[in-house]
Amino acid sequence: MSNGLVEDDRFAEDAERQPLSESAACLAASLSWATERRVEQTAILAAFGRACPGTAGTTQGRLVLSALLDELADHGLLELPRGRDGWDDAQPRLPRWLRLPAPSKPTTGAPRATAPVVWRSELA
């Protein structure tokens, strides 16, 4: 009998090893233009429309968007709401908002390559 946690860990590891689908990568790029870390549902839908214009607004649009958001969350590229109030009531349920990761901080004080000090033999 297997432990559900072990299976969940394996699924998460498999997702991290799998490359993003082309549609998920396009959605991630479209979401990256957000100026705030918290992205509301209207902005999510607009980003989906830019990333997948042929699918957004169709009968399959919600299903595809839901799958793409799950894929991005599995890769750690966004965080979906944890509580019930973070999701709408339609099927499949879509988040009312999501959170993007904090931008990476630039490294400061990075060591520089220094030129060797050259001494004249008379100064030694």
Side-chain angles (χ1 to χ4, degrees):
M1 200 166 174
S2 66
N3 177 339
L5 293 176
V6 172
E7 290 176 8
D8 289 344
D9 289 343
R10 286 184 193 149
F11 178 74
E13 288 173 8
D14 288 344
E16 289 174 6
R17 286 186 224 145
Q18 296 290 327
L20 279 177
S21 66
E22 184 178 342
S23 295
C26 289
L27 180 57
S30 187
L31 287 169
S32 71
W33 288 96
T35 57
E36 300 291 326
R37 286 187 59 209
R38 182 177 166 127
V39 180
E40 299 296 328
Q41 190 177 59
T42 54
I44 297 168
L45 295 172
F48 179 56
R50 288 188 301 274
C52 302
T55 306
T58 68
T59 57
Q60 295 298 311
R62 286 184 70 89
L63 184 63
V64 171
L65 177 57
S66 177
L68 293 175
L69 292 173
D70 287 342
E71 182 179 354
L72 293 174
D74 289 343
H75 280 80
L77 298 175
L78 57 83
E79 182 181 327
L80 296 171
R82 294 185 185 142
R84 284 180 53 150
D85 61 336
W87 298 85
D88 65 15
D89 296 324
Q91 290 297 322
R93 298 178 80 188
L94 293 177
R96 295 183 194 276
W97 56 269
L98 59 81
R99 188 168 306 281
L100 298 173
S104 59
K105 296 180 181 178
T107 57
T108 57
R112 289 193 220 171
T114 57
V117 177
V118 179
W119 292 90
R120 292 189 53 107
S121 58
E122 297 87 24
L123 296 174

